[in-house]
Amino acid sequence: MPQFLITCTDSENSTEKRLAVRPRHLERLEQLAAQGRLIVAGAMPKQHDNPQAGFYGSTMIVDFDSRAELDEWLKQEPFLIEGVYASVEVKPFNKALPKG
């Protein structure tokens, strides 16, 4: 399956909304993980130990059969629907390491 790097940038002043919507966001990522299609996902906090300081955004590396399939999945992303993400950039990704 092709892999994709997804870089998401948070909207200004979206911290409260991000924290409220996070359970729905994580549920979808857990479903991808259960299907073996999630390589890595995580937030980019402004301060590691203080979520209230806000976030720059998120990064994910995922496996999808096609970019079109990924785009359909993204249409249902709670952080996009609720306006947490101001922008999302998707690029092809080829994993080199670690192997396996």
Side-chain angles (χ1 to χ4, degrees):
M1 258 190 267
Q3 295 176 346
F4 299 91
L5 171 69
I6 307 168
T7 306
C8 310
T9 303
D10 279 17
S11 301
E12 290 292 321
N13 303 312
S14 63
T15 303
E16 187 175 316
K17 188 176 287 189
R18 173 187 261 274
L19 296 175
V21 176
R22 186 172 186 262
R24 291 177 20 223
H25 167 75
L26 291 178
E27 181 179 331
R28 295 184 78 239
L29 291 176
E30 289 167 358
Q31 290 171 358
L32 276 187
Q35 297 165 5
R37 299 192 305 165
L38 180 65
I39 307 304
V40 68
M44 297 177 287
K46 293 183 179 179
Q47 296 176 11
H48 276 105
D49 298 327
N50 182 8
Q52 295 302 326
F55 296 83
Y56 295 108
S58 303
T59 299
M60 297 172 257
I61 300 175
V62 296
D63 278 324
F64 276 87
D65 289 330
S66 67
R67 173 63 194 264
E69 183 183 332
L70 171 57
D71 289 343
E72 285 300 312
W73 183 82
L74 284 171
K75 286 180 184 177
Q76 301 303 314
E77 170 51 49
F79 280 178
L80 272 172
I81 293 168
E82 300 294 337
V84 173
Y85 292 150
S87 65
V88 174
E89 184 176 10
V90 177
K91 295 180 182 176
F93 183 82
N94 290 329
K95 181 182 170 193
L97 295 170
K99 298 200 181 280

